[in-house]
């Protein structure tokens, strides 16, 4: 062994040989060969009809389908989130009627297939040909034709949103439950009212647990929108590409067109989600506090919540039944 | 003179567990009352009943002459108060917890401002001025923009004291305020409490700090198994206890 350089602060630095790991090389080679075979098969097989794929990738009907799919995804998530917060708060209520109704809603909408629910919403105008606003069991003031008010689009949106609310309600409930009860107690001791405690103290801390799985649900919803043909709503991405594929007797390239778009949108969501998660799970609470300049309270705030350990870290806490 | 705290024959059951078994306690305005006792003696429960965080199973609590949690009609029937009225009663009683319970998503300043704005409806400017004054008083003038996680335990507890004081309480309750602190941080919190006592604040303190009790308390209560075993001036209870149980306890903690 040569003498260590005089600047090395560790005079007896260890220069050992690593453990030989031939298995790693073998495994890597096998996996690379398999992957190359898969790519080769994809590119060289003429039955994939990449020419049709390229032709229809930017087809007007397909792009319009992407638009409708996005509208359905975000619209139903908005309905879902609003309803979920209401359901989760009902679930925590002292009122046994509200608690049971919330439990029943979640039981029903989580316990039946989304496909069944979508067909049901599609048939709502058969079940109830007219809808009225009036006094319950009493006189009616305004009456609508159901099939005029609840079009296929609204039936699809409602069906997806009402179903999603049941799942999100459990996520919100887990989030609210993850906040240290001492927080509520401290706020109560200060004389704050229950509604204020929820809004100012509990919900901001619960957001850390609620946001990541909600991002997950959004990605899941993007693909669930392909089921709206059950309503039937026929403008979304899957229906559009299937229709073209059937017309051309070329289902494969059109399936790949829709898969491409779903993947692209999911990838964009994933980037967004990773930013959200970094933002909500950020830091260790040791960064410098802000002193001057524009206020960016959210950043240190989330780090502080995390560091305090008053909210449990597990985003899937009690969510799965 | 109306006592600040007047507890009569307080009983508290948690299911089958009889935690308070007929406690009487009177604290005069401006008095510092220290409650001592082994863990499980019911002292924290008693304190939590003084601001309705727990409800008594039997007996009554009066704060400054006002019945806590209930309204009594001419016939002597009790009517439970609406939660917003109980919240109003609580807002006049400050409480400091063993585990601080600062709001982690707010800075020290925002923690102290929050209830002033939400409960007392003070303007932001008023609340801020009051908070700055209080945080300076507890020695944290240079830590106002820090989040709780960026503060030491002693600093957090001082913020918690400032947060309670911001409501201009007529009574302060301390539930083992130094038990969760590293030994070298206990002194800074006790110093703030001593300062508060010297300023004439009425305080009920549950603690194991016998030194603090001897130095600051006007009135020491020793509890065991849900009853008051012995009470009186600090010097009498701590240095010349008459009950065996008090002597045993003090021999263990001193």
């Amino acid at each position: 062994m040569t003498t260590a350089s005089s600047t090395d602060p560790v005079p007896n630095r260890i220069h050992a040989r690593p453990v030989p790991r031939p298995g790693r090389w073998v495994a890597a080679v096998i996996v690379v060969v398999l992957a190359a075979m898969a790519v080769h098969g994809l590119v060289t097989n003429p039955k994939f009809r990449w020419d049709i794929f390229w032709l229809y990738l930017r087809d007007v009907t397909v792009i319009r389908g992407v638009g409708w799919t996005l509208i359905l995804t975000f619209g139903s998530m908005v309905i879902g989130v609003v309803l979920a917060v209401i359901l989760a708060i009902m679930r925590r209520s002292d009122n046994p009627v509200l608690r049971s109704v919330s439990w029943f809603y979640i039981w029903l909408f989580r316990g039946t297939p989304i496909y069944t629910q979508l067909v049901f919403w599609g048939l709502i105008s058969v079940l109830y040909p007219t809808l009225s606003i009036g006094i319950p069991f009493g006189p009616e003031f305004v009456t609508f034709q159901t099939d005029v008010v609840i079009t296929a689009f609204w039936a699809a949106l409602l069906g997806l949103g009402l179903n999603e609310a049941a799942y999100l309600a459990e996520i919100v409930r887990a989030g609210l439950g993850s906040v240290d009860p001492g927080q509520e107690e401290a706020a109560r001791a200060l004389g704050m009212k229950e509604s204020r405690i929820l809004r100012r103290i509990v919900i901001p801390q619960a957001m850390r647990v609620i946001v990541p799985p909600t991002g997950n649900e959004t990605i899941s919803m993007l693909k669930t929108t392909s089921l709206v043909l059950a309503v039937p709503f026929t403008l979304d991405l899957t229906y559009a590409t299937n229709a073209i594929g059937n017309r051309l007797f070329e289902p494969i390239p059109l399936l790949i067109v829709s898969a491409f778009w779903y993947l692209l949108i999911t990838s964009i969501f994933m980037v967004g989600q990773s930013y959200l998660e970094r933002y909500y799970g950020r830091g260790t609470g040791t960064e410098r506090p802000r002193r001057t300049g524009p206020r960016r309270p959210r950043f240190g705030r989330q780090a502080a919540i995390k560091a305090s350990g008053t909210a449990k870290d597990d985003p899937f806490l009690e969510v799965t039944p | 003179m109306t006592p600040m705290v007047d507890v009569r024959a307080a009983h508290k059951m948690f299911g089958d567990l009889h935690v308070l078994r007929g406690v009487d306690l009177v604290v005069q305005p401006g008095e510092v009352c220290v409650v001592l006792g082994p863990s499980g003696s019911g002292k924290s429960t008693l304190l939590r009943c003084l601001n309705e965080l727990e409800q008594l199973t039997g007996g009554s609590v009066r704060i400054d002459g006002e019945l806590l949690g209930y309204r009594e009609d001419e016939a002597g029937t009790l009517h439970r108060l609406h939660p917003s009225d109980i919240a109003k009663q609580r807002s006049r009683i400050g409480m400091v917890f063993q585990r601080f319970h600062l709001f982690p998503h707010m800075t020290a300043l925002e923690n102290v401002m929050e209830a002033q704005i939400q409960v007392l409806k003070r303007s932001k400017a008023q609340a801020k001025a009051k908070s700055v004054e209080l945080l300076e008083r507890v020695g944290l003038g240079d830590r106002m923009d820090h989040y709780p996680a960026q503060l030491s335990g002693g600093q957090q507890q001082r913020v918690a004291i400032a947060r309670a004081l911001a409501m201009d309480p007529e009574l302060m309750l301390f539930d083992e305020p130094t038990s969760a602190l590293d030994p070298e941080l206990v002194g800074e919190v006790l110093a703030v409490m001593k300062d508060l006592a010297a300023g004439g604040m009425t305080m009920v303190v549950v603690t194991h700090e016998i030194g603090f009790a001897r130095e600051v308390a006007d009135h020491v209560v020793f509890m065991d198994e849900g009853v008051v075993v012995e009470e009186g001036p600090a010097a009498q209870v701590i240095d010349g206890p008459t009950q065996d149980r008090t002597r045993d306890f003090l021999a263990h903690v001193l």
Side-chain angles (χ1 to χ4, degrees), chain A residues 180 182-183 185-193 196 199-201 204-205 285-291 295 297-298 300-301 303-305 307-308 310, chain B residues 48 51 53 84 87-88 90-91 93 95 97 100-107 110 114-115 117-119 121 142 145-150 163-164 167:
Chain A
D180 178 2
Q183 290 289 312
E185 208 159 70
R188 211 171 286 144
L190 286 165
M192 287 174 74
K193 284 186 213 153
R196 290 277 165 95
R199 205 159 44 85
R200 298 282 310 171
I201 308 299
Q205 295 183 58
T286 50
E287 8 358 15
R288 303 304 311 156
R290 61 195 153 76
R291 286 193 180 279
R295 286 184 126 223
R298 289 263 159 205
R301 188 165 296 215
I305 292 173
S308 76
T310 56
Chain B
R48 291 164 61 80
N51 71 347
L53 284 182
S84 63
K88 217 167 281 168
R90 283 197 190 108
S91 70
I93 306 167
M95 180 140 187
F97 297 87
F100 330 133
H101 295 328
L102 289 182
F103 306 132
H105 56 306
M106 299 180 188
T107 61
E110 288 165 344
E114 180 68 11
I117 295 168
Q118 301 290 339
V119 179
K121 311 291 176 202
D142 58 340
D145 289 331
H146 289 240
Y147 286 98
Q150 297 162 331
R163 179 174 70 173
M167 305 298 287

Side-chain angles (χ1 to χ4, degrees), chain B residues 16-58:
Chain B
D16 288 336
L17 195 65
H18 206 157
V19 181
L20 296 180
R21 301 161 175 264
V23 173
D24 294 289
L25 178 71
V26 173
V27 181
Q28 299 297 341
E31 210 177 44
V32 176
C33 171
V34 169
V35 184
L36 300 175
S39 53
S41 60
K43 53 194 191 317
S44 281
T45 304
L46 175 66
L47 197 73
R48 291 164 61 80
C49 288
L50 297 185
N51 71 347
E52 275 284 323
L53 284 182
E54 301 287 354
Q55 285 173 41
L56 286 179
T57 315

Side-chain angles (χ1 to χ4, degrees), chain B residues 154 157-158 161 177-178 181 185-194:
Chain B
Q157 194 61 298
R158 285 186 280 152
I161 293 172
T178 57
L181 297 178
L185 302 178
V186 169
E188 63 190 60
V189 172
L190 291 183
V192 169
M193 290 168 64
K194 276 179 208 167

